[in-house]
């Protein structure tokens, strides 16, 4: 931003800075959520087979569970007023940017160079198909924020929820819409996709044949489409794309 375009961000102090800095408190809340998420992952690790290994590794999802639990506890103790949503959104934006950069830095360039052509081909086909699906359903979810939801849905489907949040922040930098909250809450709904995740892992590990996995995935698609209709998440076109 140019100097003329820059604006001050006013922080609402929810704690007495002489005792506990507000920013430190919010990071501490995130730290508690992380510790709880580690405990939830430890519990999942006792599940048999690759199910336990997979579920225990989903730290983002387990972190969401931990956040819901902690927020519920704070509400019961009537101390949830200490949380500032504006500051929390800033922390979320910072961590999302940091996560994306770390993801890129964690990729081995030697592996990419060796498989560059298959990666480009698969990525191109997947991106086009995913865009078509998100573009179609994004206009039929309903509500006033279908454009933001479509971006968030596309980012999540081609990466993770933080990827979707990063795309939403491009068109909604102040996070004024409810899209980011919806992306966070969708982790609970994503539990319904556990069979898909498990079948893909089973096929990759050789525990399930490719034909059986494809048949199972096709059956899941039918069930999910029916669920969209029953929950009215797949309705008439409600947004005019121009």
């Amino acid at each position: 931003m140019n100097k003329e375009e820059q604006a001050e961000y006013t922080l609402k102090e929810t704690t007495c800075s002489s005792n506990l800095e507000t920013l430190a408190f919010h990071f501490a809340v995130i730290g508690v959520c992380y510790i709880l998420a580690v405990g939830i992952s430890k519990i999942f690790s006792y599940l048999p087979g690759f199910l336990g290994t997979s579920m225990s590794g989903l730290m983002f999802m387990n972190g969401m569970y931990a956040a819901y639990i902690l927020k519920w506890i704070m509400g019961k103790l009537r101390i949830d007023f200490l949380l500032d949503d504006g500051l929390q959104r800033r922390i979320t934006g910072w961590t999302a940017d940091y996560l994306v950069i770390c993801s890129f830095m964690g990729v081995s360039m030697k592996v990419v160079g060796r498989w560059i052509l298959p990666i480009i081909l698969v990525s191109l086909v997947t991106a086009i198909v995913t865009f078509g699906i998100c573009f179609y359903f994004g206009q039929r979810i309903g509500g006033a924020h279908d454009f933001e939801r479509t971006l968030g849905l596309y980012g999540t489907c081609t990466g993770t929820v933080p990827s979707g949040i990063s795309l939403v922040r491009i068109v909604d930098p102040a996070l004024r819409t409810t899209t980011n909250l919806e992306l966070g809450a969708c982790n609970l709904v994503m539990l319904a996709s556990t069979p898909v995740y498990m079948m893909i892992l089973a096929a990759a590990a050789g525990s399930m044949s490719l034909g059986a996995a494809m048949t199972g995935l096709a059956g899941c698609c039918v069930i999910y489409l029916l669920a969209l209709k029953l929950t009215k998440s797949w309705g008439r076109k409600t947004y005019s794309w121009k």
Side-chain angles (χ1 to χ4, degrees):
M1 290 184 178
N2 296 326
K3 186 176 181 179
E4 294 75 16
E5 297 175 326
Q6 297 176 6
E8 292 185 3
Y9 174 71
T10 303
L11 170 66
K12 183 172 70 175
E13 294 189 358
T14 61
T15 61
C16 182
S17 59
S18 61
N19 294 323
L20 178 62
E21 181 62 41
T22 298
L23 182 60
F25 172 75
H26 283 71
F27 270 106
V29 170
I30 296 174
V32 173
C33 289
Y34 178 77
I35 294 174
L36 289 175
V38 172
I40 293 174
S41 297
K42 184 67 175 178
I43 295 174
F44 279 140
S45 67
Y46 290 107
L47 294 174
F50 64 89
L51 180 64
T53 304
S54 302
M55 295 296 290
S56 63
L58 298 176
M59 280 297 295
F60 186 84
M61 184 177 69
N62 296 338
M64 289 299 304
Y65 298 153
Y68 287 128
I69 294 172
L70 183 59
K71 191 170 184 179
W72 178 80
I73 293 175
M74 293 183 69
K76 288 295 183 180
L77 296 176
R78 298 182 180 179
I79 58 173
D80 52 339
F81 64 90
L82 294 174
L83 294 175
D84 178 23
D85 292 338
L87 176 57
Q88 200 65 57
R89 285 194 295 267
R90 296 288 177 173
I91 296 176
T92 299
W94 173 76
T95 53
D97 289 345
Y98 192 78
L99 176 61
V100 171
I101 294 299
C102 289
S103 299
F104 279 114
M105 295 301 294
V107 176
S108 172
M109 292 296 104
K110 291 183 179 180
V111 175
V112 173
R114 187 182 308 167
W115 298 93
I116 186 64
L117 291 179
I119 289 175
I120 291 176
L121 180 61
V122 172
S123 299
L124 182 62
V125 174
T126 303
I128 293 174
V129 173
T130 304
F131 173 77
I133 295 174
C134 295
F135 185 80
Y136 175 83
F137 284 102
Q139 304 174 73
R140 292 165 172 80
I141 298 175
H145 311 301
D146 284 348
F147 180 69
E148 290 82 0
R149 288 171 177 169
T150 300
L151 286 179
L153 184 64
Y154 182 75
T156 301
C157 290
T158 54
T160 60
V161 171
S163 305
I165 293 176
S166 297
L167 284 183
V168 173
R169 286 178 58 226
I170 296 175
V171 296
D172 183 22
L175 303 179
R176 291 189 176 93
T177 68
T178 60
T179 307
N180 284 284
L181 294 176
E182 294 169 358
L183 287 174
C186 79
N187 284 272
L188 293 174
V189 183
M190 284 182 183
L191 283 175
S193 65
T194 301
V196 173
Y197 181 70
M198 293 297 104
M199 281 187 284
I200 292 176
L201 286 180
S207 302
M208 178 182 291
S209 66
L210 180 61
M214 294 297 290
T215 302
L217 292 174
C220 287
C221 286
V222 174
I223 295 174
Y224 297 149
L225 290 175
L226 291 175
L228 289 175
K229 277 294 185 181
L230 291 175
T231 57
K232 298 182 180 180
S233 300
W234 178 12
R236 295 181 178 180
K237 186 176 179 180
T238 58
Y239 188 88
S240 178
W241 295 83
K242 296 181 181 180

